[in-house]
Amino acid sequence: MQHPAPLNQEAFLSETKASSSLFVAIALGASIGLLVPALIVGGLLIGLREPQVAEAAMQQEMEAKLDVLGSSLPELLWNLDTVAAREVVAAVMKSPDVVRVVVHDASQGAPFIEMEFPDRKKGRSLKGEREIFRGQARIGQLSVEVDDQLSTAALSRQRWLYAATVGGQLLASLALILALLNSRLMRPLRRLGGFANDLATGRFDAQLPPSSTDEIGQLGGHLDHMRKALQQQFDAQRALIERLRGMAETVPGVVYQLRLGRDGKYSFAYVSEAVKDYFQLSASRLGKDAERWFEQIAPADRAAVRESLQASARQLSPWQQEFRTYRADGSERWLYGNAIAQLEDGGSVLWHGFLTDISSQRRDALELLRYRNHLEELVEARTAELAEATKAAQAASLAKSAFLANMSHEIRTPMNAIIGLTYLAQSDSTDPTQQQRLQKVADAAEHLLSVINKVLDFSKIEAGKMQLTHAEFTIPQVLDGITSMLAQQANKKQLQMQVDIAPELATQVLLGDAQRITEVLLNFGGNAFKFTENGFVRFSARIERDLGTALQLRFEVQDSGIGINEEAQGRLFQDFEQADSSTTRRYGGTGLGLAICRRLAELMHGEVGVQSALGEGSCFWFTLRVDKSSAPAVPELPQAKRGQAARELLQQQFSGTRILLAEDNAVNQEVAVALLGSAGLQVDVAHDGQQALRMASEQDYGLVLMDVQMPLMDGLDATRAIRAMERQQGRPSTPILAMTANAFAEERQRCLDAGMNDHVAKPVVAEQLFATLHQWLSQRSKTRPA
């Protein structure tokens, strides 16, 4: 180890001369600190406030001109008095900042009066427009364009005057401050600097000349005390180094300082005497020649040691390396080198570190490696077993999905005939007893269908296969469809069905899964009608929070029904839970409906809840997040249409419209034709896909109902062929709705990918079918006139 040495005097003086003058720095800093803030603050005041004032004045002046023209021109424009009107406009154009004045009559044809001075347009233009009224009637429009060049020039002159005034005052003050600063501060500091330089070069016997008793004089006294303290610390440090040298010789391992010079040669600045036990070399011999140390390293490790030292020197990163040497008896010995790299003046690198014997640790590591290899073999075997189990689980999952799809299709197909024929029998029957029995059949069938739908939805959610669409829709469309499907229940119980949509949502086009929103609201609405005997059911929608490109919506379904006690509310939305789970309960249900609503709301980044009290009705709500669409706003539907049954709307608006039904099942044909005919629609039937393609090419139908599974050509191929035919003939697209007993999202997506517009699941529920038909026939009527 080396003794600390005082700083080299010549290097210190050279660094002092090279440094910048403190007086110049203070002068420059004061100039910047006084002038720049003043100019910036003043510039900001003038640059921010005055342009606003000037712009406000221009705006006020332009409004005055508009007032003058607006009060003078109505009678002249009404009487088409061009001469007088031109004189009025010419009077306004005398203002040097007015660039252009244009007066239009109500027809918006050629300007009634137009005057313009293009050469006045030198800066930024400000335009103003105003409607011209005569009494309550709008008879024209006028616009005035003014230029801000004159205002800008006046503002620029004001800025230069401020800068010259403030700058001159501050420069005079600065000169006086710097003169006082030099005499009272800089000269005494230079004397103190010379004294500090003596201390830095190790001349602790230097004396400081007497000075004043101010703060600088006190600083000189403190420096003299520091000189004495430094002398004591220097002596104490020399003694400490001697003690550290003795300790380094007694610690386990080798303590060293290794230097790599700019010439690429290694040398030991210090190495403890313990090195003799490791390399059979004395510290004195290594201090003279470090290459002897490399010669003691095992030949297989020498290159790695040199490369790691070079990498540590380049990056000045810690050096850590394991390598081997040999004992006097020739046995192998493992050493671990650890050091911190330090860049020295002149470009050399110095490592401070130690060497330790890790031979026993290496033996332990080899033993652990053998154990690890054995464990890896066990892990590989277990991984293979898990892979087989995973394949089996995936196969079971696929089998479950196939089973659910087949079960859905096999159950829904006969259910379509049951529900459809029951609906038709009710429509034809006049016997009250028969009507009552048929209603019980319809209620039981719809209940069974609801149970099937909920079980399938729940299984899809549990399997993580529930996928949300991201399509355009509007809130009125969703609520109109719901009220149309529930209108029959409302009429049956003579309940008022109300719809309350926030005005800002009435025409807003949104992006989201309208089908899942409808599913939640239908569940809430169905429960509301089930538990309400008199009064009302109200559907409402509003914006809870505007997120910029998205909206947080809140839907509520409120009723005047029996209400729910507080204890039951806590478990309503849990899986397989109901408000009344007793064996004597009056109302049926699986306990899945509200649980599915909760899961769907969570998938749409929202939540569900209820507010209720026994005998006071209930309010079920849920929130969700939807994106805003860039599509233009849609016109708001007339209020009278909401709450009407979908079949009534079809009869009123689209009676006589011809549609094509592609269905190979005779019973399904009978049901569909009768349902569509009851709504006033004319139906042509195709028995397979090829016949549907031929009929669609010969007749321009208002809509096509396409079964998916048909002989010769299925519904997907028939749809693709129809779309290709429409493109080839340049015909507008006819709405094509899929009809299938497969209710899974994959089937719906296949239909959409084939070119279909929507999906109607079997068994067909009459009001849902009518609502879907009304939606697409309405959209078609907007794009193609009858």
Side-chain angles (χ1 to χ4, degrees):
M1 294 185 180
Q2 297 178 337
H3 296 293
L7 182 67
N8 183 274
Q9 182 176 3
E10 294 181 359
F12 182 82
L13 291 175
S14 175
E15 182 179 352
T16 303
K17 292 178 181 178
S19 62
S20 300
S21 170
L22 178 61
F23 180 77
V24 174
I26 292 175
L28 181 60
S31 301
I32 297 174
L34 290 175
L35 286 173
V36 173
L39 294 176
I40 290 176
V41 171
L44 287 176
L45 289 175
I46 296 176
L48 295 178
R49 185 177 64 85
E50 293 302 327
Q52 296 175 356
V53 173
E55 185 173 355
M58 284 186 64
Q59 185 68 36
Q60 185 176 4
E61 186 176 352
M62 185 177 66
E63 291 296 331
K65 292 179 174 60
L66 289 171
D67 290 340
V68 171
L69 292 173
S71 61
S72 303
L73 289 176
E75 291 299 328
L76 301 180
L77 181 60
W78 179 260
N79 296 321
L80 300 179
D81 191 347
T82 308
V83 176
R86 186 173 295 278
E87 291 177 357
V88 172
V89 173
V92 174
M93 293 293 292
K94 290 181 179 180
S95 296
D97 57 345
V98 178
V99 176
R100 184 168 180 258
V101 175
V102 180
V103 179
H104 285 275
D105 57 15
S107 64
Q108 293 296 321
F112 178 66
I113 296 293
E114 181 178 13
M115 288 190 180
E116 183 178 10
F117 293 107
D119 55 340
R120 293 182 180 178
K121 192 171 184 179
K122 300 178 180 179
R124 185 171 60 90
S125 296
L126 183 64
K127 296 181 180 179
E129 296 182 351
R130 181 165 295 180
E131 306 290 343
I132 302 175
F133 290 89
R134 185 175 185 271
Q136 299 296 326
R138 177 184 175 277
I139 62 172
Q141 182 183 17
L142 66 90
S143 64
V144 177
E145 179 180 354
V146 297
D147 188 82
D148 69 344
Q149 176 65 24
L150 298 177
S151 175
T152 303
L155 182 61
S156 176
R157 289 192 298 272
Q158 184 179 359
R159 289 174 178 168
W160 281 110
L161 179 61
Y162 171 82
T165 303
V166 173
Q169 293 176 350
L170 290 178
L171 286 175
S173 301
L174 182 62
L176 179 60
I177 292 173
L178 292 178
L180 294 174
L181 181 66
N182 185 52
S183 63
R184 296 300 303 272
L185 181 62
M186 303 310 300
R187 290 175 185 171
L189 283 179
R190 282 192 286 271
R191 288 196 296 268
L192 292 179
F195 180 67
N197 181 47
D198 291 339
L199 297 182
T201 55
R203 296 201 300 270
F204 296 112
D205 57 347
Q207 298 295 324
L208 184 66
S211 60
S212 61
T213 59
D214 58 9
E215 288 81 0
I216 294 182
Q218 295 176 9
L219 177 60
H222 295 326
L223 286 176
D224 189 59
H225 290 307
M226 185 179 70
R227 176 185 63 81
K228 297 176 182 178
L230 285 175
Q231 179 65 53
Q232 295 174 357
Q233 291 180 7
F234 191 78
D235 295 338
Q237 188 179 25
R238 182 180 288 113
L240 177 61
I241 290 174
E242 294 298 329
R243 288 197 299 273
L244 290 176
R245 184 188 296 274
M247 293 173 61
E249 300 299 334
T250 60
V251 298
V254 180
V255 179
Y256 64 90
Q257 289 180 311
L258 178 64
R259 178 178 286 111
L260 173 62
R262 296 188 62 181
D263 56 0
K265 295 183 178 180
Y266 291 93
S267 61
F268 280 98
Y270 170 79
V271 61
S272 63
E273 292 297 334
V275 70
K276 187 175 181 180
D277 298 333
Y278 286 76
F279 294 99
Q280 293 82 47
L281 293 172
S282 65
S284 58
R285 290 185 63 184
L286 284 178
K288 296 177 182 177
D289 186 6
E291 289 297 324
R292 295 177 179 271
W293 175 63
F294 287 103
E295 294 174 358
Q296 295 294 318
I297 298 174
D301 296 339
R302 289 175 191 169
V305 172
R306 287 184 180 273
E307 290 175 2
S308 61
L309 285 170
Q310 291 290 341
S312 174
R314 287 193 301 269
Q315 303 173 9
L316 293 180
S317 58
W319 176 67
Q320 295 178 340
Q321 185 68 31
E322 295 180 3
F323 56 91
R324 289 165 292 180
T325 62
Y326 298 100
R327 296 185 180 90
D329 59 1
S331 62
E332 190 177 76
R333 187 178 197 175
W334 278 93
L335 299 181
Y336 171 69
N338 188 10
I340 296 176
Q342 174 187 349
L343 184 64
E344 295 184 306
D345 295 337
S348 60
V349 177
L350 182 67
W351 286 277
H352 306 269
F354 59 90
L355 296 172
T356 55
D357 190 336
I358 59 169
S359 300
S360 60
Q361 291 92 319
R362 291 287 298 188
R363 287 193 297 269
D364 295 340
L366 290 174
E367 188 67 20
L368 288 175
L369 180 60
R370 285 195 292 271
Y371 279 113
R372 188 184 69 180
N373 292 336
H374 178 63
L375 289 175
E376 287 179 352
E377 294 175 357
L378 295 177
V379 170
E380 289 178 359
R382 184 58 178 165
T383 301
E385 295 176 2
L386 290 175
E388 292 296 326
T390 301
K391 290 180 181 178
Q394 291 174 346
S397 176
L398 292 175
K400 176 183 176 183
S401 298
F403 170 75
L404 289 174
N406 290 333
M407 183 183 71
S408 170
H409 186 273
E410 293 302 321
I411 294 176
R412 287 171 178 272
T413 298
M415 286 293 295
N416 184 60
I418 295 172
I419 293 177
L421 292 175
T422 302
Y423 181 86
L424 295 175
Q426 280 185 290
S427 301
D428 296 338
S429 176
T430 58
D431 183 4
T433 302
Q434 194 71 12
Q435 281 278 355
Q436 185 179 10
R437 291 174 179 173
L438 289 172
Q439 183 60 45
K440 291 180 180 179
V441 174
D443 292 342
E446 290 183 3
H447 177 72
L448 178 58
L449 178 60
S450 174
V451 171
I452 294 170
N453 288 337
K454 289 173 182 176
V455 171
L456 293 177
D457 279 348
F458 190 78
S459 66
K460 285 187 286 185
I461 294 174
E462 285 290 303
K465 294 184 178 181
M466 179 66 73
Q467 297 180 352
L468 300 178
T469 62
H470 197 251
E472 292 183 347
F473 71 97
T474 66
I475 299 301
Q477 288 175 352
V478 172
L479 292 182
D480 287 344
I482 292 171
T483 54
S484 295
M485 287 184 276
L486 296 176
Q488 185 177 358
Q489 296 186 40
N491 295 333
K492 180 180 178 182
K493 286 192 171 185
Q494 295 183 348
L495 298 175
Q496 296 182 17
M497 185 160 49
Q498 304 169 359
V499 177
D500 180 16
I501 302 176
E504 56 269 25
L505 287 176
T507 59
Q508 175 71 53
V509 181
L510 304 173
L511 289 171
D513 195 331
Q515 179 185 358
R516 296 304 175 186
I517 298 173
T518 300
E519 185 174 337
V520 176
L521 290 176
L522 276 177
N523 201 304
F524 287 174
N527 285 341
F529 282 108
K530 181 191 297 184
F531 297 106
T532 304
E533 297 301 329
N534 54 69
F536 68 92
V537 174
R538 179 184 301 115
F539 294 85
S540 61
R542 62 181 175 85
I543 297 176
E544 194 171 62
R545 186 169 46 174
D546 193 328
L547 304 175
T549 59
L551 295 175
Q552 186 82 11
L553 302 183
R554 181 183 177 97
F555 290 92
E556 294 181 354
V557 179
Q558 186 176 2
D559 64 64
S560 57
I562 61 176
I564 308 169
N565 63 49
E566 186 174 353
E567 184 274 333
Q569 294 178 30
R571 48 188 172 85
L572 269 183
F573 294 96
Q574 301 302 315
D575 299 342
F576 307 105
E577 290 285 351
Q578 294 174 288
D580 181 8
S581 58
S582 67
T583 57
T584 61
R585 58 196 176 102
R586 176 183 175 186
Y587 304 97
T590 61
L592 283 178
L594 294 179
I596 292 173
C597 291
R598 173 179 59 83
R599 301 286 190 100
L600 290 177
E602 291 171 353
L603 285 175
M604 292 183 283
H605 307 286
E607 55 186 357
V608 296
V610 62
Q611 298 168 351
S612 182
L614 281 177
E616 299 180 7
S618 304
C619 178
F620 283 82
W621 58 266
F622 84 101
T623 62
L624 74 157
R625 190 175 67 192
V626 295
D627 293 330
K628 296 179 182 178
S629 172
S630 58
V634 298
E636 185 175 1
L637 289 176
Q639 189 67 25
K641 288 186 179 180
R642 295 185 178 142
Q644 285 186 272
R647 184 168 70 170
E648 297 176 8
L649 294 176
L650 283 174
Q651 290 174 339
Q652 293 174 6
Q653 299 175 18
F654 301 105
S655 179
T657 300
R658 183 172 296 277
I659 68 174
L660 174 62
L661 171 66
E663 172 64 67
D664 65 310
N665 186 283
V667 176
N668 289 340
Q669 288 178 5
E670 179 184 353
V671 171
V673 169
L675 285 176
L676 297 172
S678 69
L681 301 175
Q682 297 185 20
V683 186
D684 291 342
V685 179
H687 299 279
D688 55 58
Q690 287 184 355
Q691 187 178 4
L693 173 61
R694 179 179 56 78
M695 296 174 68
S697 63
E698 297 172 354
Q699 172 77 29
D700 186 15
Y701 289 100
L703 182 141
V704 178
L705 281 172
M706 182 76 71
D707 186 24
V708 174
Q709 297 182 3
M710 290 186 296
L712 299 181
M713 178 186 288
D714 64 23
L716 301 179
D717 289 338
T719 299
R720 296 187 187 99
I722 291 174
R723 294 303 185 211
M725 177 269 297
E726 289 174 340
R727 289 191 295 269
Q728 183 178 5
Q729 297 181 3
R731 289 168 50 177
S733 296
T734 301
I736 302 178
L737 309 186
M739 296 180 64
T740 175
N742 190 332
F744 281 83
E746 295 85 352
E747 180 72 8
R748 174 183 173 86
Q749 190 58 47
R750 288 178 60 209
C751 296
L752 297 178
D753 292 342
M756 298 184 183
N757 300 92
D758 207 340
H759 176 277
V760 177
K762 295 179 182 177
V764 174
V765 178
E767 287 301 323
Q768 292 182 1
L769 173 63
F770 294 149
T772 306
L773 291 174
H774 180 266
Q775 173 190 344
W776 288 104
L777 288 174
S778 298
Q779 291 189 16
R780 181 182 183 276
S781 66
K782 295 176 184 177
T783 58
R784 286 195 290 181

